[in-house]
Amino acid sequence: MSAMMQPQIILLKEGTDTSQGRAQVVSNINACTAVADTVRTTLGPRGMDKLIHDDKGGVTISNDGATIMRLLDIVHPAAKILVDIAKSQDSEVGDGTTTVVLLAAEFLKEAKPYVEDGVHPHSLIRSYRTAGSMAIQRVKELAVSIEGKSLEEKKSLLAKCAATTLSSKLIGGEKEFFASMVVDAVLAIGNDDRLNLIGIKKVPGGTMRDSFLVNGVAFKKTFSYAGFEQQPKKFLNPKILLLNIELELKSEKENAEIRLSDPLQYQSIVDAEWNIIYDKLDKCVKSGAKIVLSRLAIGDLATQYFADRDIFCAGRVTEEDLQRVAAATAGTVQTSVNNVIDEVLGSCEVFEEKQVGNERFNIFSGCPSGQTATIVLRGGADQFIEEAERSLHDAIMIVRRAVKNSTVVPGGGAIDMEISKYLRQHARTIAGKSQFFVNSFAKALEVIPRQLCDNAGFDATDVLNKLRQKHASGEGANYGVDINTGGIADSFANFVWEPAVVKINAINAATEASCLILSVDETVKNPKSESAQGEAAAGAMAGRGGGAMRGRGGRGMRRR
């Protein structure tokens, strides 16, 4: 009787929403599957695009998994984990963002029946972690190195990797054209890891084929003052002076006070200002530089002064472009024009100002360091060029990874089928429930070739059966989906390659995410306290604002 009379223990605030247990795990799995269904159709060369219209009226057309996940603004706490793994895949390797989301969702989907039947999630997590590490080990064993090849061979192999990435994008029709451009750009920056050394400039108009690569730096003509048109627009082997100072006649910035005893002295102060600017300009000219670039403004006096002496100048150059010019021309950005020595001046073979579409571009080519490149993108609609830029970003990241970790694996679902076969064989050697879980992990890996078939309109069951038979025979490790015929083909022989690091990272991230979501069995949501805090803050602001207004109004009115 006394046990029944015990008072109820209240731990959390009134209005707290808690959901826990098996139903919560299943609910989280369903949310993740719904997110994956959004990006599912974007996978592969026949993938569809998504048009996302945000609240500000902006329109984005993309089939890049990370971009779509970022723009979807997902609020479900468990599903947000999929957004994070897509972002991490994008920043780490650049491509495979849709793959990683699909794999994670499929691992969870395969685990769902076991969770509903009462299997403890930690049994699943243990088996998934083992299967994941075995899958990664198998990828490393199957990977083929492209090291030790000649430069021409290596370029050709890297172009194949870039073309595989671009085939699933909006610019897939011009993949050979852009693949060679991307490879040249990545090889131009050498061993430097900074991605911002490859500039991508977008100019609407023309066709995609009008895009070109500058082996150096190109940027849009900056704001210029009167006298600019009299400056030369082309130089051969010029010296380049890079500055971070204003070359303008400036009035005194602070509240300076000058007391004069004689009005005639005023002229000497005015002259002093002019002498300072002329002294700076003289030093720029004496340095021997034919091109003067500054991050800050170069005024009309300086522009005219340089024009009279056949020197080209550009002010308000963006920080990024100035740093890229410095890297390419082996120059150093100066914060003073005093003691400008030859060592700090940059140089290039050709500088010219060219018309590209309706924009004018300053182009530095044949740079001695050659540690930068610029891709100038052309195309019809703005959204199309934006998507082309995202596609090229993926291709650049892939080629950089392939240069660093020079091992590749066959694409088109071939590597996924091979790992799946390997894990199924391993599952037969395990006694106990774990056999089912490793088997379901292996089955989940087949989502990639299945989705490739679905997106291309092929019979997925038929193609997958052919692939299973081919891989089981022991000779078809490189066989994947043939997008062109609807059958199966040797992906390696068809040059459908991707860097091994993409697959390794995708399996790793997807396994981690699925284990994390399976390990969550309770969600605590406290919406009331959040809204109460918001109301209190709003009330405090209103109080302060009202008081301030009353105070000002009272002082301003005339007393009666």
Side-chain angles (χ1 to χ4, degrees), residues 532-554:
Q533 283 169 7
E535 282 164 19
M541 286 299 289
R544 278 206 299 276
M549 287 301 290
R550 278 198 302 277
R552 279 206 293 277

Side-chain angles (χ1 to χ4, degrees), residues 375-391:
I375 296 171
V376 179
L377 272 183
R378 306 297 311 279
D382 282 342
Q383 286 91 344
F384 189 81
I385 301 180
E386 294 283 346
E387 176 61 3
E389 183 189 13
R390 282 190 288 272
S391 308

Side-chain angles (χ1 to χ4, degrees), residues 306-322:
F306 288 137
D308 294 342
R309 286 154 184 76
D310 285 342
I311 294 174
F312 175 90
C313 71
R316 297 199 180 104
V317 179
T318 61
E319 176 77 29
E320 184 194 349
D321 287 333
L322 201 67

Side-chain angles (χ1 to χ4, degrees), residues 388-410:
E389 183 189 13
R390 282 190 288 272
S391 308
L392 287 183
H393 169 265
D394 285 8
I396 287 166
M397 290 288 281
I398 284 297
V399 174
R400 278 172 73 227
R401 287 289 167 219
V403 168
K404 283 270 186 332
N405 314 320
S406 51
T407 51
V408 295
V409 291

Side-chain angles (χ1 to χ4, degrees), residues 287-307:
S287 68
K290 281 289 171 193
I291 296 169
V292 179
L293 302 180
S294 178
R295 200 174 71 81
L296 301 171
I298 293 181
D300 44 7
L301 170 74
T303 307
Q304 193 68 57
Y305 188 90
F306 288 137

Side-chain angles (χ1 to χ4, degrees), residues 411-424:
I415 189 77
D416 307 272
M417 290 303 292
E418 186 58 25
I419 303 166
S420 179
K421 180 205 83 169
Y422 171 70
L423 288 175
R424 280 178 204 274

Side-chain angles (χ1 to χ4, degrees), residues 118-335:
V119 172
H120 196 281
H122 270 286
S123 305
L124 279 160
I125 291 169
R126 202 177 308 116
S127 300
Y128 271 20
R129 288 220 167 105
T130 310
S133 58
M134 286 182 70
I136 289 166
Q137 196 54 46
R138 187 68 180 148
V139 173
K140 288 176 179 170
E141 287 168 20
L142 292 166
V144 178
S145 176
I146 58 171
E147 201 59 78
K149 303 270 198 297
S150 70
L151 183 64
E152 279 310 307
E153 273 185 294
K154 209 166 184 183
K155 270 178 124 170
S156 156
L157 298 176
L158 290 170
K160 303 278 191 326
C161 284
T164 303
T165 301
L166 291 171
S167 63
S168 65
K169 307 293 183 192
L170 208 57
I171 54 175
E174 304 284 1
K175 63 181 178 184
E176 280 81 15
F177 174 72
F178 282 110
S180 61
M181 191 185 282
V182 165
V183 172
D184 289 341
V186 172
L187 294 178
I189 65 169
N191 295 324
D192 204 318
D193 235 7
R194 288 173 298 168
L195 197 62
N196 60 3
L197 288 178
I198 299 177
I200 298 180
K201 303 293 179 188
K202 303 178 289 250
V203 185
T207 63
M208 294 306 290
R209 282 258 166 192
D210 293 336
S211 305
F212 59 91
L213 175 75
V214 176
N215 215 338
V217 185
F219 55 83
K220 283 180 191 172
K221 179 172 102 63
T222 56
F223 176 83
S224 44
Y225 288 89
F228 178 79
E229 288 307 324
Q230 287 130 0
Q231 293 178 350
K233 298 294 183 283
K234 185 168 182 179
F235 291 101
L236 298 175
N237 299 312
K239 289 264 188 273
I240 301 161
L241 175 60
L242 307 171
L243 299 172
N244 191 9
I245 56 172
E246 276 184 322
L247 292 177
E248 258 190 313
L249 195 63
K250 298 293 282 183
S251 58
E252 198 60 55
K253 279 185 183 173
E254 306 303 326
N255 292 332
E257 184 179 323
I258 302 170
R259 300 195 176 190
L260 304 173
S261 54
D262 181 0
L264 297 174
Q265 290 175 331
Y266 181 71
Q267 188 59 43
S268 65
I269 291 163
V270 175
D271 290 345
E273 285 183 341
W274 285 85
N275 290 340
I276 289 166
I277 182 91
Y278 275 127
D279 181 48
K280 284 181 182 176
L281 298 176
D282 275 341
K283 283 174 178 166
C284 293
V285 174
K286 279 178 187 161
S287 68
K290 281 289 171 193
I291 296 169
V292 179
L293 302 180
S294 178
R295 200 174 71 81
L296 301 171
I298 293 181
D300 44 7
L301 170 74
T303 307
Q304 193 68 57
Y305 188 90
F306 288 137
D308 294 342
R309 286 154 184 76
D310 285 342
I311 294 174
F312 175 90
C313 71
R316 297 199 180 104
V317 179
T318 61
E319 176 77 29
E320 184 194 349
D321 287 333
L322 201 67
Q323 291 301 338
R324 283 180 43 239
V325 173
T329 61
T332 312
V333 179
Q334 300 296 298
T335 51

Side-chain angles (χ1 to χ4, degrees), residues 5-10:
M5 295 294 287
Q6 276 184 349
Q8 187 184 357
I9 297 169
I10 297 170

